[in-house]
Amino acid sequence: MADAAYRIFGSELSPYSVKVRSYFRYKGIPHEWVPRNASNVDEFRRHAKLPLIPLVLAPDGSALQDSTPVLERMEAAFPEPSIQPDEPLAAFVSALLEEYADEWGNKAMFHYRWMYEPDQRSAAERLARENLPGADPETVARTADGVRARMVPRLSFVGSSPETGGTIEASFEREIALLEAHLAERPYLFGARPALADFGVFAQLYECLTDPTPGASLRAKAPRTVGWIERMLAPKVEGDFERWSALEPTLLPFLRDEVGAIFLPWSEANRVALEAGSETLEVSLAGRPFRQKPQKYHARSLAVLRARYAAARSETLDALFERAGCLAGLRGA
């Protein structure tokens, strides 16, 4: 790979890593995919401010982390082909769906991967092989056991528990059903080219597709969605973005049933719990109680989302999100 290329330290099992890689492929930005493993951990630590992937090293030596800021920074440097629909309403919906995927869609991905034994074993072995390329089977098995022991207790971090699992799984099933209907007449979420939302939503579902339990559900119930996920591994321009009037019949139900009914109420409950200093957020989602430890990062990203909505607000936006049951969640207190 040429010296002028970006280097993406990531993992095939990290949704945020494959999200960034898909973006670089779409833009045609020269880059090297560097699976983070034991052989490059020292180099990674020299550049990473946080022990999180993906880490993008630019040709000038600067480092970028956190997938959404990475895409925003790269979009400013490589504006074409744009991932922002020209229509302001569609562009904001795209940003909202990307936030939904990063913060709520990740729950289903993590839940399935570490809740069920077949998924645990599959993911742990793949992670062990990725971290120790060329290791003998005994070392891989021993390392995989360690990965399982470390990751399963972290289910609580995303709010996955026997109490909340039904809500998370129902949301996943609803999400793929809504996407299957929406993708019946278009190759990407906003038309014939990917938008910001495509990169966020696809990345979480790509990981689900690689795991036994949710992957089986996707293949059985959502073949068009599977085709879109596979297309997003190396997306390309196939035409133009559609107008919102063409997208609304099948995207409005997604906004109503997932973003308005599930994601934004959970987001507000998370904010309230943190503001009150509570150790637990409690909220009713789709008629079921949902409890977990509050997440500080999401409170910050919700504040950014609401600030963006305040800056973009119009009568048209307010009318749409009122119909979708999202307006109160976007405007906040």
Side-chain angles (χ1 to χ4, degrees), residues 99 103 263-264 266-272 297-308 329-330:
E99 177 77 358
E103 303 300 329
F263 172 57
L264 289 174
W266 171 79
S267 299
E268 175 64 7
N270 183 71
R271 183 197 68 80
V272 169
Y297 179 86
H298 180 58
R300 293 193 293 270
S301 66
L302 176 65
V304 170
L305 178 68
R306 286 176 169 175
R308 287 179 175 174
L330 289 170

Side-chain angles (χ1 to χ4, degrees), residues 8-308:
I8 305 171
F9 286 77
S11 168
E12 200 69 36
L13 282 86
S14 158
Y16 305 106
S17 295
V18 299
K19 171 184 172 183
V20 168
R21 184 180 65 186
S22 173
Y23 175 86
F24 271 68
R25 287 174 174 176
Y26 176 60
K27 290 286 185 169
I29 302 169
H31 66 280
E32 178 185 3
W33 173 253
V34 184
R36 190 190 64 173
N37 56 42
S39 69
N40 54 47
V41 66
D42 290 339
E43 182 182 12
F44 175 84
R45 288 172 177 168
R46 284 199 303 273
H47 297 283
K49 293 182 179 180
L50 298 170
L52 302 173
I53 51 176
L55 167 72
V56 177
L57 294 185
D60 64 5
S62 61
L64 303 172
Q65 286 184 279
D66 197 343
S67 65
T68 300
V70 168
L71 267 59
E72 290 172 344
R73 180 80 65 88
M74 299 305 296
E75 191 70 5
F78 299 90
E80 295 299 331
S82 176
I83 62 170
Q84 298 291 358
D86 293 332
E87 193 176 13
L89 192 156
F92 190 86
V93 172
S94 175
L96 176 58
L97 293 182
E98 191 250 4
E99 177 77 358
Y100 159 89
D102 280 2
E103 303 300 329
W104 179 265
N106 179 254
K107 292 185 184 301
M109 188 286 295
F110 202 90
H111 164 81
Y112 280 113
R113 178 165 285 176
W114 301 112
M115 176 62 72
Y116 297 111
E117 184 173 349
D119 304 83
Q120 294 170 9
R121 292 192 178 280
S122 171
E125 180 178 345
R126 285 180 286 149
L127 284 166
R129 292 187 183 281
E130 186 177 69
N131 190 54
L132 298 171
D136 61 83
E138 292 78 10
T139 299
V140 169
R142 185 169 60 252
T143 302
D145 287 343
V147 170
R148 285 184 69 200
R150 183 172 69 253
M151 296 303 294
V152 171
R154 296 184 181 182
L155 280 164
S156 63
F157 292 179
V158 300
S160 171
S161 68
E163 178 188 41
T164 62
T167 299
I168 293 171
E169 293 185 14
S171 174
F172 170 77
E173 294 290 342
R174 190 165 47 246
E175 176 187 9
I176 65 173
L178 290 164
L179 287 175
E180 190 69 2
H182 181 65
L183 291 166
E185 298 181 1
R186 53 187 58 86
Y188 299 101
L189 296 183
F190 285 78
R193 58 177 63 193
L196 176 63
D198 288 89
F199 294 97
V201 178
F202 131 81
Q204 303 296 336
L205 292 180
Y206 169 72
E207 297 300 333
C208 291
L209 186 62
T210 69
D211 290 334
T213 302
S217 189
L218 275 161
R219 290 184 178 90
K221 301 175 182 178
R224 286 190 291 264
T225 303
V226 170
W228 164 72
I229 292 168
E230 293 172 343
R231 195 174 304 121
M232 281 299 299
L233 289 170
K236 60 184 180 181
V237 174
E238 300 182 29
D240 296 326
F241 289 120
E242 295 178 41
R243 300 294 295 176
W244 176 254
S245 58
L247 299 165
E248 181 170 328
T250 46
L251 265 191
L252 183 62
F254 196 110
L255 291 175
R256 183 186 63 236
D257 297 344
E258 276 295 294
V259 179
I262 301 293
F263 172 57
L264 289 174
W266 171 79
S267 299
E268 175 64 7
N270 183 71
R271 183 197 68 80
V272 169
L274 284 168
E275 189 172 283
S278 174
E279 290 295 315
T280 305
L281 74 83
E282 299 189 25
V283 63
S284 176
L285 301 177
R288 299 177 177 179
F290 194 97
R291 299 179 180 87
Q292 73 168 103
K293 186 176 181 179
Q295 297 177 252
K296 291 181 180 180
Y297 179 86
H298 180 58
R300 293 193 293 270
S301 66
L302 176 65
V304 170
L305 178 68
R306 286 176 169 175
R308 287 179 175 174

